[in-house]
């Protein structure tokens, strides 16, 4: 598949195509499409989160972490980004770094522990 496929169409068409590939568990293809969308509109949280999820599911954990930190830099109260970052850090064997993000996500979701 040529790179032009990933760049073809409007942003909305590429977003739909990326979601279709993600739902089909074609995470690498979804990530290639989403990378271009994020580059074009870096402030779009939904696109960046789906890119992070694509990276996470394709075991590109460093890239997932980078995208999630970018989301949290812009929106520190994005609950799902905290949860995903915590899970990403856990999966990388960094539980001490993951814990504050997981606690924050739980608190934002109303899951308080004693």
């Amino acid at each position: 598949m040529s790179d032009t496929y990933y760049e073809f169409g409007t942003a909305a068409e590429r977003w739909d195509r990326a979601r279709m590939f993600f739902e089909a568990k074609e995470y690498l293809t979804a990530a290639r499409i989403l990378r271009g969308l994020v580059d074009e509109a870096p402030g779009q949280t939904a696109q960046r989160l789906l890119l992070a999820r694509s990276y996470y599911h394709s075991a590109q954990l460093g890239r997932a972490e980078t995208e999630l930190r970018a989301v949290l830099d812009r929106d520190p109260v994005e609950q799902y980004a905290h949860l995903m970052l915590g899970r990403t850090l856990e999966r990388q064997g960094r539980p001490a770094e993951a814990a504050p993000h997981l606690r924050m996500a739980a608190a934002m979701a109303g899951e308080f522990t004693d």
Side-chain angles (χ1 to χ4, degrees), residues 60-82:
Q60 298 179 66
L61 302 177
R63 288 180 174 177
E65 179 182 349
T66 298
E67 296 304 325
L68 293 164
R69 289 189 187 280
V71 168
L72 291 171
D73 283 346
R74 271 190 300 292
D75 187 1
V77 295
E78 172 54 58
Q79 185 263 345
Y80 190 68
H82 278 288

